[in-house]
Amino acid sequence: FRVERGEILGFLGPNGAGKTTTMRILTGYMPATEGKAIVAGFDVFDQPMEAKRRTGYLPETPPLYPEMTVREYLQFVARIKIKGVSSSERRSRVEDSMRRTRVDDMANRHCGKLSKGYRQRVGLAQDGCGQRRQHAAAERGDEIDFDAALNERAKRTRLVRPSGTRAGEQHA
């Protein structure tokens, strides 16, 4: 299948249909047994670093450092992701990303004390701190309606970065 820039793609199907496997292959976490996976023009296995530089993966439960505050965590991530800009520009991007994903009200709260919804927003804010073009997200269908999840995730992602490709999965 092919997804063009700006399109939103969702995987829908029963358990065992290959939704998670496809996401893992596209993000380079699992090798394909046959075929090829190309992301932004780069083969995810022949040129994994180039593909990964252009891909973000947001799991259902983002891996956050519980002892860090939201702001500390996002500043930490920004130092890793954003190269070639001043520290004041990185701080500005972090603040902007927190505002756009509506986690600025929790900026000084420890990540370990956040609700699941806020943790997911911090994951989106983290993605907004970088310079990626594709965004992949995992969402469990038993917790939220698939269409609503994809629309909400896409809306939040557009708030973070107005262009790019988004893919999501639902476990039916």
Side-chain angles (χ1 to χ4, degrees):
F1 62 91
R2 183 179 184 93
V3 182
E4 298 296 334
R5 183 181 180 107
E7 288 183 320
I8 298 172
L9 169 72
F11 296 122
L12 178 62
N15 291 338
K19 301 174 300 294
T20 299
T21 300
T22 302
M23 296 292 279
R24 287 179 179 162
I25 291 169
L26 291 174
T27 55
Y29 290 106
M30 179 179 181
T33 54
E34 42 181 287
K36 257 187 167 176
I38 308 291
V39 173
F42 298 96
D43 186 296
V44 298
F45 299 102
D46 292 341
Q47 299 169 292
M49 294 310 292
E50 291 302 321
K52 286 179 181 182
R53 280 189 187 104
R54 291 161 177 83
T55 304
Y57 179 66
L58 181 61
E60 179 186 359
T61 305
L64 307 176
Y65 291 110
E67 68 281 357
M68 289 181 158
T69 67
V70 170
R71 181 177 281 116
E72 289 168 343
Y73 175 73
L74 293 174
Q75 288 171 344
F76 169 73
V77 168
R79 281 193 304 273
I80 295 168
K81 286 185 168 186
I82 305 172
K83 303 293 183 193
V85 300
S86 68
S87 58
S88 63
E89 172 64 19
R90 273 195 303 274
R91 280 193 301 275
S92 175
R93 288 189 193 185
V94 165
E95 295 299 319
D96 185 55
S97 187
M98 284 194 301
R99 182 185 54 75
R100 288 173 177 240
T101 55
R102 297 187 305 269
V103 297
D104 50 340
D105 60 329
M106 296 289 170
N108 297 315
R109 182 168 291 186
H110 286 93
C111 292
K113 302 286 185 186
L114 297 173
S115 69
K116 181 178 178 180
Y118 267 103
R119 286 181 182 150
Q120 289 176 332
R121 286 193 215 174
V122 172
L124 288 171
Q126 169 190 312
D127 187 56
C129 291
Q131 300 166 346
R132 294 190 166 135
R133 296 187 179 192
Q134 278 73 33
H135 179 86
E139 186 71 57
R140 288 191 54 81
D142 58 353
E143 296 174 17
I144 190 166
D145 173 77
F146 177 69
D147 290 328
L150 194 54
N151 289 336
E152 182 64 18
R153 184 69 53 92
K155 180 175 76 176
R156 288 181 188 167
T157 304
R158 273 190 225 108
L159 289 171
V160 175
R161 188 175 301 111
S163 64
T165 302
R166 289 142 194 111
E169 66 171 302
Q170 179 206 350
H171 296 271

